[in-house]
Amino acid sequence: MTTQFPGGPAYATGVGGFPAARPRRLRTTPAMRRMVAEHRLHPAQLILPVFVRDGIGEPVPVSSMPGVVQHTRETLKKAAHEAVRAGVGGFMIYGVPKEEDKDAVGSAGTDPDGILQVALRDVRAEVGDDIVIMSDLCLDETTDHGHCGVLDAEGRVDNDATLERYAEMACVQAEAGAHVLGPSGMMDGQIGFVRRALDEAGHRDVSLFAYTAKYASAFYGPFREAVGSSLKGDRKTYQQDPANAREALRELSLDAAEGADMVMVKPGLPYLDVLRDFAERAEVPVGVYQISGEYAMVEAAAQNGWIDRDRAIMETLTSFKRAGANLILTYWATEAAGRL
């Protein structure tokens, strides 16, 4: 059947076709678009990553991440209160020790008086259970070589020796007040090893947010400035190859079997396909980390007037939700929660 429009061409129409079907009817007003939106962000789904640096009296701006700072202990507590007021769900803390406190085995990471443990106690005392307090469980910030584990005699990351350090670190962080630990080193067996250590120490209620698919990405550069990384070489022998997706599903199966309470894909935008795969298969909440390079690209483009910053932020966050994320780590968490 064809339909002739006055002054226009003839259109072939079938059942349910144009001109009867006009999807634009559901886009006519902001209220209409809001009502029929398929995916919605909520502040409680957002997690704010923050950096706290030992030995500074004022916050130190991270030059490659406009708007992000290395906090003092006092400004970290203020940031926690702001996140709580905005309704942010989680607060992920990364500690930045003094250079002289770094060593080959990351001793600052297991020192009860190390900056991360002190910061955890500060924040827990300040906001209690009003927000989920999370801590990074890794050695890269505290080692003088910058790797996520201890090295063997040939300079390679020793997987099993590193697990022993993670177990000790996990117990210290749990004792300092963390609700959730984020094992991010991509060591084989890390979730099961840490879970056993926590349970044996009586920390059965502390959750593990596994960095299940953490890729060896080019987008980590600004983060390394933020944590004062001492990295020599690269992390390609333990982080995932960006070419591999099926391998991520193997990591998901292993982490689930070892007792992960939540799983994560990192980075975010370049790995939306992996995020979708996780969302379809995982039986626990699935998170995604919008990392420093993703943040920096949007901020830099916005500063040059090339994109609409606010719209770009919300569009990227919505893309994670559409791909299936239950939780989103983003440096815009407090800001975005305020808009939501």
Side-chain angles (χ1 to χ4, degrees), residues 136-219:
D136 179 52
L137 179 57
C138 197
L139 291 171
D140 58 322
E141 295 97 331
T142 58
T143 53
D144 53 14
H145 47 72
H147 278 286
C148 297
V150 296
L151 305 183
D152 63 18
E154 297 182 16
R156 301 170 302 189
V157 174
D158 186 325
N159 190 95
D160 295 6
T162 297
L163 296 183
E164 298 286 352
R165 296 290 295 132
Y166 286 178
E168 185 180 353
M169 188 182 234
C171 292
V172 172
Q173 291 182 357
E175 289 161 7
H179 297 106
V180 175
L181 309 183
S184 61
M186 289 296 288
M187 296 297 121
D188 294 340
Q190 63 183 12
I191 298 303
F193 205 92
V194 168
R195 181 73 270 162
R196 283 191 297 275
L198 288 170
D199 290 352
E200 289 171 3
H203 299 297
R204 293 180 181 84
D205 290 337
V206 173
S207 301
L208 294 181
F209 194 171
Y211 285 59
T212 299
K214 183 178 181 181
Y215 284 87
S217 173
F219 293 96

Side-chain angles (χ1 to χ4, degrees), residues 34-200:
R34 216 167 34 240
M35 184 181 74
V36 301
E38 297 174 26
H39 301 280
R40 302 180 195 279
L41 292 165
H42 190 280
Q45 298 168 329
L46 303 179
I47 298 166
L48 178 66
V50 289
F51 308 101
V52 58
R53 179 173 167 182
D54 197 7
I56 58 173
E58 297 291 335
V60 177
V62 179
S63 64
S64 54
M65 299 176 69
V68 174
V69 301
Q70 294 173 326
H71 284 285
T72 67
R73 288 173 60 185
E74 288 304 313
T75 62
L76 182 73
K77 291 187 282 188
K78 180 181 177 183
H81 278 294
E82 291 172 350
V84 169
R85 284 195 295 271
V88 171
F91 198 69
M92 175 70 84
I93 306 175
Y94 294 84
V96 184
K98 297 175 184 177
E99 281 298 316
E100 59 265 30
D101 291 336
K102 295 181 180 182
D103 61 22
V105 296
S107 297
T110 50
D111 180 354
D113 294 322
I115 183 59
L116 179 53
Q117 289 70 252
V118 170
L120 285 167
R121 290 196 294 271
D122 284 345
V123 173
R124 187 64 185 266
E126 199 74 15
V127 298
D129 297 332
D130 291 343
I131 195 169
V132 179
I133 301 169
M134 305 179 172
S135 61
D136 179 52
L137 179 57
C138 197
L139 291 171
D140 58 322
E141 295 97 331
T142 58
T143 53
D144 53 14
H145 47 72
H147 278 286
C148 297
V150 296
L151 305 183
D152 63 18
E154 297 182 16
R156 301 170 302 189
V157 174
D158 186 325
N159 190 95
D160 295 6
T162 297
L163 296 183
E164 298 286 352
R165 296 290 295 132
Y166 286 178
E168 185 180 353
M169 188 182 234
C171 292
V172 172
Q173 291 182 357
E175 289 161 7
H179 297 106
V180 175
L181 309 183
S184 61
M186 289 296 288
M187 296 297 121
D188 294 340
Q190 63 183 12
I191 298 303
F193 205 92
V194 168
R195 181 73 270 162
R196 283 191 297 275
L198 288 170
D199 290 352
E200 289 171 3

